[in-house]
């Protein structure tokens, strides 16, 4: 008699284990060799300055660590999307190879980050001075790095310890809410510190931060439907 196939599990996939191991190594290297840079970034986030100081960063090191950790955040965010849709759309995961789905989700989040980076640079170049533009981009990537640190234990629990789907969703929304609140706070401090700029603040934040997230969500739903039809 032919045996019954076991269901696919992320923890039994060697590629997934290697990706998570690479994420762990990158986190470890950043904390070991770049902890001064990360500490300086965290301290500067809550101490508003009109312009960045030349003495705040370790030369030729902060961009390297930040870029690596932002890449890790994209990978972990892709895992979170994968875990969410694996519970919401069973047919999707029965028809389509899991590696393709995970690659699509990671790529979609990476494209979102690139779009926001380009949109912020373009809009801030038009309306704000260079110093405030630079401070905002530093804060934006710092928050992405912090989100990666929060998502890593959550992803490990979901992959290796079968974290309850509802609990995982709640924790993901809490982390997402924290990042949006911190971005909103930094937006106020950096661009619109006065009450008369409230309307511009809401317009700026919604157009460049909230609307792209909604497009990402709708876009992933559309991609899922296209993949189901194709396969």
């Amino acid at each position: 008699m032919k045996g019954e196939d076991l269901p696919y599990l992320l923890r039994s996939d060697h590629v997934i284990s290697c990706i998570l191991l690479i994420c762990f190594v990158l986190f470890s290297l950043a904390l070991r060799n770049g902890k001064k840079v990360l500490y300086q970034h965290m301290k500067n986030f809550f101490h508003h300055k009109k312009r960045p100081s030349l003495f705040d960063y370790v030369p030729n090191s902060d961009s390297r660590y930040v870029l690596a950790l932002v890449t890790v955040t994209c990978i972990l965010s892709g895992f979170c999307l994968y875990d969410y849709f694996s519970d919401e759309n069973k047919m999707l995961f029965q028809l389509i190879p899991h590696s393709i789905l995970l690659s699509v989700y990671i790529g979609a989040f990476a494209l979102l980050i690139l779009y926001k980076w380009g949109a912020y640079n373009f809009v801030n170049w038009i309306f704000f001075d260079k110093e405030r533009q630079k401070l905002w981009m530093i804060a934006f990537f710092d928050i992405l790095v912090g989100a990666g640190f929060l998502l890593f234990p959550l992803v490990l629990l979901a992959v290796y310890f079968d974290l309850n789907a509802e609990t995982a969703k709640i924790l993901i929304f809490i982390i997402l809410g924290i990042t949006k609140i911190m971005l909103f706070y930094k937006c106020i401090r950096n661009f619109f510190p006065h009450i008369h700029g409230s309307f511009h603040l809401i317009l700026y934040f919604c157009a460049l931060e909230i609307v792209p997230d909604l497009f990402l969500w709708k876009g992933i739903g559309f991609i899922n439907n296209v993949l189901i039809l194709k396969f």
Side-chain angles (χ1 to χ4, degrees):
M1 293 177 60
K2 182 181 178 180
E4 184 180 352
D5 294 335
L6 292 174
Y8 175 82
L9 296 173
L10 282 175
R11 62 173 174 267
S12 62
D13 192 323
H14 299 300
V15 176
I16 300 300
S17 298
C18 290
I19 292 174
L20 291 177
L21 180 60
I22 291 172
C23 292
F24 175 76
V25 170
L26 290 175
F27 275 133
S28 300
L29 290 175
L31 291 175
R32 180 183 176 184
N33 301 325
K35 57 186 177 182
K36 291 183 179 179
V37 175
L38 296 176
Y39 172 75
Q40 187 67 50
H41 277 246
M42 183 176 64
K43 186 175 71 171
N44 289 343
F45 183 87
F46 294 101
H47 291 80
H48 180 67
K49 297 180 179 180
K50 293 184 178 180
R51 58 182 60 87
S53 172
L54 295 175
F55 304 100
D56 286 343
Y57 308 106
V58 179
N60 300 322
S61 63
D62 63 331
S63 58
R64 181 178 58 193
Y65 291 119
V66 170
L67 179 61
L69 293 178
V70 169
T71 303
V72 172
T73 301
C74 292
I75 295 172
L76 296 175
S77 300
F79 273 100
C80 292
L81 290 173
Y82 178 96
D83 184 66
Y84 176 84
F85 285 107
S86 65
D87 184 64
E88 293 292 322
N89 195 338
K90 301 292 185 182
M91 185 174 67
L92 182 70
F93 287 79
Q94 293 172 0
L95 298 174
I96 303 167
H98 301 271
S99 58
I100 292 179
L101 286 174
L102 188 58
S103 300
V104 167
Y105 296 151
I106 293 174
F109 197 84
L111 288 175
L112 175 69
I113 299 302
L114 288 174
Y115 170 79
K116 287 187 177 182
W117 175 77
Y120 279 131
N121 276 316
F122 178 72
V123 173
N124 293 343
W125 172 70
I126 295 175
F127 293 104
F128 303 107
D129 58 77
K130 186 177 180 180
E131 298 299 338
R132 284 195 288 179
Q133 176 183 350
K134 184 176 180 180
L135 288 171
W136 171 254
M137 294 311 304
I138 291 172
F140 175 70
F141 285 111
D142 287 347
I143 291 173
L144 288 178
V145 170
F149 279 103
L150 294 176
L151 288 174
F152 188 63
L154 177 60
V155 170
L156 291 179
L157 289 173
V159 172
Y160 294 107
F161 297 98
D162 293 327
L163 182 65
N164 181 268
E166 293 301 323
T167 304
K169 291 176 187 177
I170 293 172
L171 293 175
I172 290 172
F173 280 116
I174 289 174
I175 294 173
L176 182 63
I178 291 172
T179 59
K180 297 304 180 185
I181 290 171
M182 294 181 71
L183 281 170
F184 191 74
Y185 160 79
K186 200 63 181 179
C187 189
I188 293 173
R189 294 295 303 271
N190 196 45
F191 296 132
F192 307 100
H194 305 294
I195 190 66
H196 57 75
S198 299
F199 175 76
H200 299 90
L201 165 66
I202 295 172
L203 184 63
Y204 177 90
F205 193 78
C206 289
L208 297 182
E209 186 60 33
I210 304 300
V211 172
D213 293 344
L214 297 177
F215 276 117
L216 172 70
W217 189 255
K218 291 294 185 181
I220 289 178
F222 175 76
I223 292 172
N224 287 341
N225 294 332
V226 170
L227 290 174
I228 289 174
L229 292 175
K230 183 176 180 180
F231 283 88

